[in-house]
C-alpha cells in the first residue's frame, strides 16, 4: 500500500499569484488572502495528479506491505531526502537512482520524508489548469467540476 502525504508546502511566488489574479479577472485586492489560499490548494491538488512539483513541498511517502526490497519511487521532483525509516521509526540507509530509493535492508514498511524542487516547466504547462481549479474553488463549484479539471492533467 502506498500513501503520499503533503506535510507542508510553500506559498506560491508573488509572480504566480499576480498572473493568476490577472487571469481570473478578480481586481478586488481585499480578497487576496482568500485567493492565495485557493491558489495554494489548487497547486497542491494539481501537482498530486500530474506528479510534477508546482510548489516546494515536504512530502511523506509510506510504502507498506512490501514483499521484497524493490526500489521505492518518489513522486513530484524529489530534491532532498530528510529521513528514511522503517515502520517503527528506526532510521535505515538507502541509495538513490533518479526518483528511485532502494533501502539498504528489507523492511515491510518504508517511510520516506523528502523535499521537492519546483518544476518550472510544469508551472508553465499546468498554469491554466491551476487557474481554473483555483477559480472553481473560489466560486464554490461542485466536486465534479474540480475532478474534471484534475482529470485534464493526467
Amino acid at each position: 500500500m502506498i500513501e503520499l502525504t503533503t506535510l507542508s508546502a510553500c506559498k506560491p511566488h508573488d509572480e504566480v499569484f499576480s498572473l493568476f489574479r490577472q487571469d481570473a479577472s478578480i481586481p478586488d485586492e481585499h480578497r487576496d488572502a482568500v485567493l492565495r489560499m485557493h491558489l495554494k490548494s489548487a497547486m497542491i491538488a494539481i501537482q498530486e495528479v500530474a506528479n510534477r512539483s508546482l510548489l516546494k513541498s515536504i512530502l511523506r511517502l509510506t510504502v507498506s506491505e512490501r514483499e521484497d526490497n524493490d526500489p521505492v519511487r518518489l513522486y513530484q521532483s524529489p530534491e532532498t531526502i530528510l529521513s528514511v525509516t522503517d515502520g517503527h521509526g528506526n532510521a535505515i540507509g538507502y541509495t538513490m537512482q533518479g526518483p528511485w530509493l532502494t533501502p539498504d535492508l528489507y523492511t515491510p514498511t518504508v517511510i520516506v520524508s523528502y523535499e521537492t524542487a519546483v518544476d518550472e516547466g510544469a508551472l508553465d504547462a499546468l498554469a491554466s489548469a491551476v487557474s481554473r481549479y483555483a477559480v472553481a474553488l473560489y466560486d464554490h463549484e461542485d466536486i465534479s467540476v474540480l475532478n474534471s479539471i484534475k482529470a485534464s492533467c493526467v
Side-chain angles (χ1 to χ4, degrees):
M1 185 163 121
I2 298 174
E3 178 184 352
L4 184 65
T5 306
T6 301
L7 300 178
S8 68
C10 293
K11 70 178 186 170
H13 294 292
D14 288 337
E15 311 87 63
V16 173
F17 178 71
S18 295
L19 289 172
F20 160 66
R21 202 157 168 279
Q22 182 179 16
D23 186 47
S25 300
I26 302 172
D28 184 4
E29 292 180 12
H30 294 94
R31 298 181 185 245
D32 279 2
V34 172
L35 290 174
R36 283 184 190 277
M37 178 186 68
H38 288 318
L39 179 59
K40 183 176 178 179
S41 295
M43 292 176 85
I44 290 170
I46 298 301
Q47 76 182 11
E48 287 175 358
V49 297
N51 190 28
R52 298 179 72 188
S53 186
L54 304 176
L55 294 170
K56 188 167 186 72
S57 303
I58 297 177
L59 305 178
R60 180 180 58 225
L61 177 68
T62 303
V63 183
S64 57
E65 301 174 14
R66 297 175 71 230
E67 295 181 10
D68 52 35
N69 204 33
D70 284 345
V72 173
R73 186 180 193 309
L74 303 184
Y75 300 92
Q76 300 179 23
S77 314
E79 181 178 53
T80 306
I81 303 298
L82 302 174
S83 68
V84 179
T85 62
D86 63 17
H88 302 289
N90 301 311
I92 54 177
Y94 62 92
T95 55
M96 289 290 301
Q97 185 170 3
W100 297 94
L101 179 142
T102 304
D104 288 347
L105 56 97
Y106 168 76
T107 179
T109 299
V110 174
I111 303 168
V112 184
S113 295
Y114 60 99
E115 280 185 328
T116 62
V118 174
D119 180 340
E120 296 295 336
L123 278 174
D124 293 337
L126 297 169
S128 174
V130 167
S131 183
R132 286 183 291 132
Y133 196 94
V135 169
L137 288 172
Y138 181 78
D139 290 341
H140 305 289
E141 291 286 355
D142 186 77
I143 191 72
S144 63
V145 173
L146 298 174
N147 286 339
S148 172
I149 295 167
K150 288 195 303 188
S152 73
C153 300
V154 178

